[in-house]
Amino acid sequence: MHRLLTMKRLSLLFLATFAVLVGGVFAYQALVVAPGERCEAGGRWWDPGSGICAQPISIAEITKRPIGQSRAEASDAKNRELLQIEDRLAAAKAARKAEVERQREALLGQ
């Protein structure tokens, strides 16, 4: 009687499956794990979802505020700057209005 799965065939099937699985583990290591490890070893950030290796940047580069200055301090400084601009605009508007009134008085007084 001729059997399909003899001991020789079973051992070859097992070795072939084992070789494919070991190859898959090495491929996974080389293609998925190793790039992330190389990226992090270089001091960068690895995003496994997209496979992107990104250079971290300081929050000061994004917000343009000096290192060591808190958000509240930066907000207060910006608010003071805006108040100064508003005061200058109000003074310029008042000066224009006074000049218009002076010219109107001069025209009506002729």
Side-chain angles (χ1 to χ4, degrees), residues 82-101:
L82 291 175
L83 286 174
Q84 290 172 353
I85 292 170
E86 287 176 357
D87 290 342
R88 282 195 308 264
L89 289 174
K93 185 176 180 180
R96 273 194 313 272
K97 187 174 181 180
E99 181 63 23
V100 167
E101 288 298 321

Side-chain angles (χ1 to χ4, degrees), residues 5 7 9-10 12 17-18 20 45 51 53 90 110:
L5 296 176
M7 188 57 124
R9 286 184 182 162
L10 279 175
L12 286 176
T17 305
F18 181 75
V20 168
W45 292 334
C53 184
Q110 287 181 350

